[in-house]
Each structure stands twice: as C-alpha cells, then as structure tokens.
Amino acid sequence: MKMNFITDLENSLQSNSNRETAIPMENYMKNNFDFLGIKTDERRTIFKANYEKYKSEIKADFRNIGWELFNKNEREFHQCAIDLLVKEFKKNYRLEDIDLIEKLIITNSWWDSVDVVAKYLLGGYLRQFPNETYEVIERFSNSNTMWLNRSAIIFQLSYKDKTNFELLKSECEKHKESNEFFIQKAIGWALRDYSRFNPIGVTNFVNSTNLKPLSKREALRNIK
C-alpha cells in the first residue's frame, strides 16, 4: 500500500504540473531544485486528498514514506514529505528519530526545508526528549554542515516563552563571527522571535555582544 500512496500522489502532482509556473519557482530557489510548478494551496489540496485515501497505511509506515518522498526529484515531493512528517510525528517520536531528522536537514538542503524541519521536527523531538537537547544541539552546532548549525540556532522558534535563553545565547555567541548569510540571519531571527517574550533580555544581549550587523538589525527589528 505504501507504493500505492506514493504512486497516486506522484500521478496527481505530475498531472497538475505547470512548466510556466515552475520556472519562476526554480529561479526563486536559485535553481537548486526542479519544480513541477504547483502552488502551495493546490499542492496541499492534492496531498490531503491522497493522505485521506491512504491514512491507515501512512500511519503504519510514515517514516519510510516520508523519506522516500523526500528523495524524489522535484521540490513539491520534498514539501509533501515534510508536511506528512510534521503531521505524523506530533508527540510520536522515538529516540532514534533524531537520525531521520538529521538526514532531512542535510539532504536536499535549502532554507525552505531546513527551517520547517528545524522548528517543527527537531524542536518537537527535543520537547519530547528534553534530556537529549544539549548532546544533539552541541553535535549539530559543531558540525561542518552549515544547515545543522542553523538548525541548532533556530530549533526553539516554536518554544515561545519556554525558550532556553541561555542555550540560545550560547549558540549565537558561538556562531557570531560567521560570514555565512544563513547563519547571521538565523541568529537575528531567533533573537527577534524570542524578543516578543523577553525584549529587555534580548536588547541587553545584543548590546553586549559583538554580533554581525545583519544579526543585530534582525534581532532588534521589533523592539521599540
């Protein structure tokens, strides 16, 4: 049944492909990926119809199904894979799922996939297994893979007032010298997001830390 879901989803997406729409999508993503040219709302409608049809089979094997979709060529399949995994993983993690989460971050990597995986999957996993947080984040943060570094900075985006500010500050401090745009932006984004709950703490940290101009600007953007 697994192949039936994937095959049916593939057929549904392919039959709605639009090369005219695909070209600007590919350009927007710096031509890192091929696209079928299906806009977000339409893609989600197609996914939902196929999901409902094969729901029980998906729930029995969602990890393998998600990974298989994520390894297909066009970006719409990767997006469907992430939608499926975010839906199925909720409070349903196993300790070993960190291996799949890491693979999702370092495979077909770009900001659109990494940011969702980091916020919802990595963030959700570490909510369920908080004792794993320091080991996982230290490993990701020390990696030579920039996308794992970014994930270590932004994984708390859904934590709101439960954010571990000491850990966030530590990550920002560790990567503050990076010349990588996606790291500078991540630092600013994570701090800006948390500033909704602790504007004074964020302001004090930014003012006492020699952040790159982009990180500093992004961090303070919403603070009056």
Side-chain angles (χ1 to χ4, degrees):
M1 289 299 283
K2 180 182 78 170
M3 287 310 299
N4 285 344
F5 166 71
I6 291 176
T7 302
D8 280 6
L9 179 63
E10 192 167 18
N11 290 339
S12 298
L13 291 172
Q14 294 282 3
S15 65
N16 285 276
S17 62
N18 183 335
R19 190 63 202 146
E20 193 175 309
T21 309
I23 292 171
M25 288 178 166
E26 291 169 357
N27 290 339
Y28 180 64
M29 288 296 172
K30 309 291 187 186
N31 295 300
N32 284 303
F33 309 101
D34 293 330
F35 278 79
L36 294 170
I38 302 172
K39 293 182 178 179
T40 301
D41 287 347
E42 185 181 4
R43 185 193 80 236
R44 286 179 172 158
T45 298
I46 292 168
F47 170 79
K48 184 178 180 181
N50 283 273
Y51 176 89
E52 292 300 326
K53 186 176 177 183
Y54 294 101
K55 187 185 292 188
S56 60
E57 289 81 3
I58 291 168
K59 286 187 176 299
D61 197 24
F62 70 85
R63 292 169 176 84
N64 288 323
I65 291 171
W67 181 237
E68 192 165 335
L69 285 174
F70 201 74
N71 280 277
K72 289 193 172 293
N73 188 50
E74 290 85 5
R75 197 58 166 169
E76 286 86 350
F77 291 109
H78 310 162
Q79 293 162 337
C80 284
I82 293 171
D83 285 350
L84 184 150
L85 291 169
V86 169
K87 187 179 184 70
E88 294 301 320
F89 260 133
K90 283 183 181 174
K91 299 180 181 177
N92 193 29
Y93 295 93
R94 301 170 184 161
L95 202 57
E96 65 269 20
D97 284 331
I98 191 60
D99 297 331
L100 174 57
I101 292 167
E102 182 171 355
K103 286 196 298 183
L104 290 165
I105 292 169
I106 64 176
T107 305
N108 294 320
S109 307
W110 200 239
W111 62 265
D112 63 320
S113 61
V114 169
D115 292 358
V116 179
V117 172
K119 179 178 179 178
Y120 294 103
L121 298 185
L122 179 60
Y125 174 87
L126 293 175
R127 275 183 185 273
Q128 186 171 327
F129 299 112
N131 291 339
E132 299 294 307
T133 300
Y134 285 100
E135 188 278 324
V136 169
I137 295 309
E138 184 175 13
R139 181 161 57 83
F140 282 18
S141 183
N142 292 333
S143 169
N144 291 325
T145 302
M146 182 271 292
W147 296 111
L148 289 174
N149 302 160
R150 180 172 167 97
S151 298
I153 297 166
I154 66 171
F155 81 97
Q156 297 189 86
L157 284 171
S158 66
Y159 286 28
K160 301 181 180 177
D161 59 336
K162 301 293 193 295
T163 295
N164 181 335
F165 190 30
E166 292 306 312
L167 179 57
L168 174 56
K169 288 190 289 186
S170 173
E171 287 305 303
C172 294
E173 187 77 46
K174 182 185 290 187
H175 294 286
K176 69 180 183 180
E177 300 295 336
S178 174
N179 290 318
E180 171 58 60
F181 169 82
F182 287 109
I183 296 299
Q184 293 182 21
K185 193 84 169 177
I187 290 170
W189 181 19
L191 290 170
R192 183 179 76 245
D193 187 74
Y194 183 57
S195 75
R196 294 180 294 152
F197 307 97
N198 187 359
I200 294 172
V202 169
T203 300
N204 290 341
F205 174 71
V206 171
N207 288 338
S208 63
T209 308
N210 190 24
L211 298 176
K212 296 282 187 178
L214 173 60
S215 298
K216 184 173 183 177
R217 189 167 62 248
E218 287 291 320
L220 298 178
R221 188 196 294 177
N222 293 340
I223 297 176
K224 304 299 183 188

